Amino acid sequence: MVIINMAKIELPKQYKPKESEEQLLEFWEKEGIYAFDTESDKKIYSIDTPPPTISGKMHIGHAFSYAQQDFIARFKRMKGFNVFYPFGTDDNGLPTDRLVEKTKNVKSGDMERKEYVKLVLKTLEELRPKFIADWKKIGMSCDFNIYYTTIDEHCQKISQKSFIELYKEGREYRKDAPTMWCPECKTGVSQVECEDKMFDSFFNDIIFRIDGKDVIIATTRPELLPACVAVFYHPDDKRYQKYEGKTAKVPLFDFEVPVLPDERADPEKGSGIVMCCTFGDQTDMEWQKAHNLPIKLALSHEGKMTEIAGRYSGMGIQTARKMIIEDLKDNRLLISQTPIKHAINVHERCGTEIEFIKSKQWFIKYLDLKEDMIKWGAELNWYPKHMKHRYDNWVKGLQWDWLISRQRHYGIPFPVWYCKKCDEVILAKEEDLPVDPLEDKPPVDKCPKCGCAEFKPEKDIIDTWATSSLTPQLCTQLLKNKPIYKKLFPMDLRPQAHDIITFWLFNTVVKSRLHYDKNPWKDVVISGHAQDPHGKKMSKSKGNVVDPREMIEKYNADALRFWAAGTKLGDDLPFMEKDLVTANKTITKLWNASKFAIMHLEDYDGKFDTSKLEVIDRWILSRMHKLIKSCTESFEVYEFSKTKAEAEKFFWQDFCDNYMEIAKHRLYNPDTYGVDARKSAQYTLYTVVLNILKLFAPIMPYITEATYQIYFAEKEGIKSIHNSSWPEYDKKVIDEKAEAAGELVVYAVTNARRAKSDKNVSLKTPIVNMVLKSKLSNDEFKAVERDIAVTTIAEILRYEQLDKDSKIDYEHEIEL
RNA sequence: GGGGCUGUGGUCUAGUGGCUAUGACGUCCGCCUGACUCGCGGGAGUUCCCCAGUUCGAAUCUGGGCAGCCCCACCA
């Protein structure tokens, strides 16, 4: 009698994710499981983690995209890399600024810059720990000790240094030029910060006097009439050619402007003749430049009408528009109004219509580099490939140099003063950084150019993107004092979502090129977006947003990650709560299957001569190694969804539904089937379960670790599954003959089940008589005969070998 | 207007030339089989968006449509 002991290991009956996740987080942190080893010689894999904006809370899109990048980090770690995976928060910029204005109910403009910045930093201190906790909870395996915030001193220094260097390279200039301006935020904005919004408006047909005749001109912006500087028609437009060289009298304001031909005027639009106001839109600016027209400013920085608007000055845009339309009507200068819906550029942060206003701004000159930019993009490895099109498309469409100054209080100051007399730019000294010119003195006593001893500080701040485009420097320079620092840059990976290819990714490439003439990373991995269940974009205004924290609370982090692994890299994925239910089932199944295995492994000493393996064990092991090969190949090219799907299928179907059911009998009854048969199953169970856990570990770090800790950690002698090695494919384990035999077993078992199901009887019901036919030899059949008979409960089992040329591979007869 | 992605059973999804087209959810029928009812077994259900072509053979390649989504531009 062989005594088997299954009772010693204390196994919790159920997996309790909430308790488990909390404990494991602590364990990982305490043991430094994800710590970057600064002393190691191992190959480094460095990740330029996107710093999430601290403006509030994590949304489901974050959870989705950060989970995906974490899969990669964990995979690489198990592959033996020393993974450099820092964490930062983006606390710079308008979103933070507006968040503080809102929550603290202040206006930054009404406060001293110093005071205001203090308040923001204090608010951030309050918000940050809670915010970062969300990222830890979803199981991010960052080294949270390698941390930066884009507003801290370290980052200010690097950002200001970047500015100084680029200035010295001649890449930066300051210019009084029309720029896109947000009257609400009272700052210049760049091309990427704008978005389209549909508005109801009117096409107003108003009368200009040209050469003694009434000419109708259509406009949506009558309030810009005082800034009218010319009137344009298309050179081929016969209706208006006769007015060439004449002047047009602007209604209400009664001044004359030239009538000029220009191809940019579209004869099809409106009346075919158009007014040019400085500045209504981009074309106006082009016209102004091309025809060397004067610049008239009808709008102030606050979005109010200026003095050239005469009696309308001081009014807001909307009020002025209304008044002017009234007055045009009263003077019979307005022929008609056609209601239209049209898209207008608005500031994405506040939804305010963008105006073009002349102001002094800092730019990075880069329009001359468009061809190079395309080359730089082509040097990156894009995953998925097609995402590169977005980069190229953006570069081709670039029309402006990079506007980097912002007229806000909160942010990183320009390290610049100007000579009061000659406006010479005085840069801070590198060793003094970071500086705040409003507080600090310039590094010179006299202007080197004119000798003047008085200076004025730059009040503007550097746009947040000009800093966040330095993340590779921001994170790697945290380890500047360690020898390993040199090995961190260029980095291996930039993971991010596709919506910010055009700015964050693009800007980072540009900065890295301008500074180092090198790309900042080798690979870019682009994730998609989480969508609502109907495949629509989630947005606060639509009210279809899902809070990931609620979902983690209701289900668990692994379930959310499991969902995030459910789609091809780069694809958007609809969020459906039922997917989390499904995920939970897999988690439970994993727990139960492991529990079953561990129960049977209590007396297993790890020693087994694999030449004695049973055929059916060789079958599952062979299949497992094929799985390992495929999963590894998928993961290497960042296709984690394939890894997940294949591992899941193998686990659930091959292993649980088939293998375990077949092997059970040997495990429970060594007396009947022999100790070696049991040992063979134990070896297989140990190997397969451990490897399944490992394959799932990057996707579901909690359940796999929890299970690993109960049994395998001690046996394997490695503290955490996340520090263990990724399963390795072993060609020697592939056994086609065993697989063929296994297939016959599965065929027999499936058909036995079907026969019982057809009769609506329990699977326990014995089969009276079963005949099996296949191409396996009689000896090959013999090796699995017992497995078939026991699993199907067949009382009589006969076998016939089919002819080699038979068209049929299997045949069966079953009698219940 | 330019660019890109997608279009597979009721729903979501796998599948880049060749088996009865994958899996999940749902649905229907049955089963408490010594890990698991968050389970087990089985069934039904797909003109693989449409048209044409290439091919011995197409969900898969080519061309042309149609539809959805996203990005960019224009917006008098």
Side-chain angles (χ1 to χ4, degrees), chain A residues 412-432:
Chain A
I412 300 179
F414 279 86
V416 171
W417 296 259
Y418 307 101
C419 169
K420 261 197 178 159
K421 209 165 153 193
C422 71
D423 211 29
E424 174 74 359
V425 170
I426 313 289
L427 294 170
K429 275 197 188 147
E430 206 186 305
E431 57 267 30
D432 295 338

Side-chain angles (χ1 to χ4, degrees), chain A residues 21 28 30 109 187 236 306 309 473 558 563-564 683 725 741 751 787:
Chain A
E21 292 188 356
W28 292 335
K30 205 180 99 220
T187 178
D236 297 338
T306 60
Q473 289 97 298
D558 278 340
W563 161 75
Y683 169 85
S725 59
N751 281 292
D787 288 313

Side-chain angles (χ1 to χ4, degrees), chain A residues 78-108:
Chain A
M78 289 176 79
K79 271 299 231 179
F81 287 92
N82 186 15
V83 175
F84 177 76
Y85 194 18
F87 191 79
T89 47
D90 190 6
D91 307 350
N92 196 339
L94 264 181
T96 310
D97 202 350
R98 295 194 66 86
L99 176 79
V100 173
E101 285 192 330
K102 229 165 129 188
T103 54
K104 297 285 167 182
N105 199 22
V106 293
K107 279 250 175 235
S108 89

Side-chain angles (χ1 to χ4, degrees), chain A residues 16 49 116 154 210 270 314 355 377 380 451 554 574 582 588 656 683 721 791:
Chain A
K16 291 182 182 152
T49 324
Y116 181 69
H154 167 80
I210 306 177
E355 298 295 342
L380 292 167
K554 194 165 166 190
T582 308
T588 307
C656 291
Y683 169 85
I721 193 169
T791 312

Side-chain angles (χ1 to χ4, degrees), chain A residues 12 30 97 267 279 284 361 384 386 410 415 468 471 555 602 605 620 626 682 713 750 762 764 782 803 811:
Chain A
K30 205 180 99 220
D97 202 350
F279 296 100
D284 289 337
Q361 304 280 0
H386 68 256
Y410 174 68
S468 55
T471 49
Y555 300 89
E602 171 64 14
D605 58 6
I620 195 75
K626 283 185 179 170
Q682 284 181 309
T750 304
S762 154
K764 274 198 307 192
K782 276 266 176 305
D803 193 75
E811 224 177 84

Side-chain angles (χ1 to χ4, degrees), chain A residues 669-684:
Chain A
N669 308 304
D671 277 345
T672 317
Y673 306 107
V675 177
D676 278 351
R678 178 158 183 271
K679 266 204 155 175
S680 175
Q682 284 181 309
Y683 169 85
T684 310

Side-chain angles (χ1 to χ4, degrees), chain A residues 625-635 642-643 646:
Chain A
H625 273 271
K626 283 185 179 170
L627 171 79
I628 289 171
K629 184 166 187 271
S630 159
C631 284
T632 309
E633 285 167 359
S634 305
F635 231 136
K642 218 175 154 188
T643 304
E646 286 180 352

Side-chain angles (χ1 to χ4, degrees), chain A residues 710-760:
Chain A
I710 288 171
Y711 179 79
F712 295 98
E714 198 197 319
K715 298 270 174 186
E716 293 285 303
I718 289 164
K719 232 185 264 170
S720 163
I721 193 169
H722 303 300
N723 289 344
S724 74
S725 59
W726 183 256
E728 202 149 316
Y729 169 64
D730 184 354
K731 210 177 148 189
K732 292 197 291 290
V733 185
I734 302 300
D735 185 337
E736 297 299 345
K737 285 206 162 153
E739 290 205 35
E743 249 173 65
L744 176 68
V745 178
V746 171
Y747 171 82
V749 169
T750 304
N751 281 292
R753 285 165 174 170
R754 186 174 291 131
K756 293 175 190 183
S757 189
D758 285 348
K759 289 247 158 87
N760 289 352

